[in-house]
């Protein structure tokens, strides 16, 4: 299987061309956010106030990076469990969020919103936080510094390894992968 090299932000056509199980290498800028930051973004949306980050075509990585050691942009930066963002995600997708990076299952409402808006969910390996951090070239706190590691950061990444877990058609590697594994007799 060859790796698809993608430059972020993603346009809808590119996002819709990706399929579950595609290996990707991401380069460009992404934003970070966990549940506390997502809650604040939704509060702003509900009040009709501007957001501190753009959403159109952007990708959010569900991570709370560890502090950086000298000479590094961040410390360990492994993905957090994505379902905690599910209550907030459909509204962000409706505003143009194109990609999400995390680990674990997503709920039906998120998958439906992904299909409607042409978005993709990338999986990052949970046990490879130090390796993933090597792909992060720059880190800048953009919003909510009071949240510490859970503040919204802007990362500049190069060759960030991920897998398309759920594509814009709703194909879900968490469902199809085990089935293929069993069919292969493994």
């Amino acid at each position: 299987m060859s790796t698809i090299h993608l430059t972020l932000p993603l346009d809808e056509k590119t996002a819709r061309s990706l399929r579950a199980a595609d290996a990707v290498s991401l380069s460009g800028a992404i934003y970070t956010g966990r549940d506390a930051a997502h809650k604040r973004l939704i509060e702003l949306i509900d009040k009709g106030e501007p957001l501190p980050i753009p959403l159109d075509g952007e990708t959010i990585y569900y991570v709370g990076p560890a502090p950086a050691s000298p000479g590094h942009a961040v410390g360990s930066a492994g993905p957090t469990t994505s379902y905690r963002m599910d209550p907030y995600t459909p509204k962000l997708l409706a505003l143009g969020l194109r990609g999400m990076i995390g680990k674990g299952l997503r709920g039906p409402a998120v998958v439906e919103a992904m299909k409607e808006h042409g978005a993709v969910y990338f999986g990052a390996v949970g046990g490879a936080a130090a390796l993933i951090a090597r792909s992060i070239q720059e880190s800048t706190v953009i919003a909510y510094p009071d949240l510490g590691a859970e503040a919204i950061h802007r990362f500049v990444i190069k060759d960030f390894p991920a897998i398309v877990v759920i594509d814009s058609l709703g194909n879900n590697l968490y469902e199809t992968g085990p089935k293929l594994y069993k069919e292969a007799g493994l």
Side-chain angles (χ1 to χ4, degrees), residues 93-107:
L93 291 169
L95 293 174
L97 181 66
R98 193 71 56 212
M100 300 154 286
I101 305 169
K103 68 178 182 181
L105 301 172
R106 304 309 301 265

Side-chain angles (χ1 to χ4, degrees), residues 11-107:
D11 59 45
E12 185 175 349
K13 181 180 178 183
T14 301
R16 287 193 184 275
S17 74
L18 299 170
R19 294 293 170 259
D22 284 346
V24 298
S25 175
L26 306 172
S27 296
I30 59 175
Y31 294 92
T32 69
R34 291 178 51 156
D35 33 336
H38 275 70
K39 181 180 179 190
R40 290 184 184 183
L41 292 174
I42 296 304
E43 288 169 353
L44 291 174
I45 291 167
D46 289 345
K47 293 177 186 175
E49 295 180 11
L51 297 178
I53 61 171
L55 288 178
D56 193 29
E58 299 296 343
T59 297
I60 293 181
Y61 181 24
Y62 304 140
V63 64
S69 58
H72 299 277
V74 297
S76 292
T80 195
T81 305
S82 302
Y83 75 83
R84 292 196 322 260
M85 276 51 76
D86 281 6
Y88 315 110
T89 301
K91 281 188 179 182
L92 300 178
L93 291 169
L95 293 174
L97 181 66
R98 193 71 56 212
M100 300 154 286
I101 305 169
K103 68 178 182 181
L105 301 172
R106 304 309 301 265

Side-chain angles (χ1 to χ4, degrees), residues 53-166:
I53 61 171
L55 288 178
D56 193 29
E58 299 296 343
T59 297
I60 293 181
Y61 181 24
Y62 304 140
V63 64
S69 58
H72 299 277
V74 297
S76 292
T80 195
T81 305
S82 302
Y83 75 83
R84 292 196 322 260
M85 276 51 76
D86 281 6
Y88 315 110
T89 301
K91 281 188 179 182
L92 300 178
L93 291 169
L95 293 174
L97 181 66
R98 193 71 56 212
M100 300 154 286
I101 305 169
K103 68 178 182 181
L105 301 172
R106 304 309 301 265
V110 172
V111 175
E112 286 305 312
M114 289 172 59
K115 289 164 51 175
E116 179 181 352
H117 301 291
V120 64
Y121 174 49
F122 300 106
V125 178
L131 178 64
I132 288 171
R134 292 183 197 167
S135 298
I136 302 166
Q137 308 291 303
E138 296 175 26
S139 175
T140 306
V141 173
I142 299 296
Y144 314 132
D146 60 300
L147 295 177
E150 294 190 34
I152 294 178
H153 296 76
R154 180 181 183 271
F155 285 172
V156 174
I157 58 173
K158 185 173 182 346
D159 300 325
F160 184 108
I163 299 288
V164 176
V165 177
I166 304 174

